[in-house]
Amino acid sequence: MPSWLILIIIGVVLVVLGIATEIGQFLIWIGVIVLVISLILGLVRRNRT
């Protein structure tokens, strides 16, 4: 599993359970940022070849 997916899943679980919602939201945002960066890097690599 990719790291961004793991971060988002953990964040969603924490938010749903109501345990440390601030930490859960933080993990979700980090996961989204990592996902976006990896998509951009993937597109850049694909366009270079």
Side-chain angles (χ1 to χ4, degrees), residues 4-5 9 13-15 22 26-27 29-32 34 36-38 41 46:
W4 58 266
L5 184 58
I9 290 173
V13 168
L14 288 176
V15 169
E22 293 178 11
F26 182 67
L27 287 176
W29 280 112
I30 290 178
V32 170
V34 172
V36 169
I37 291 172
S38 64
L41 290 177
R46 187 177 300 162

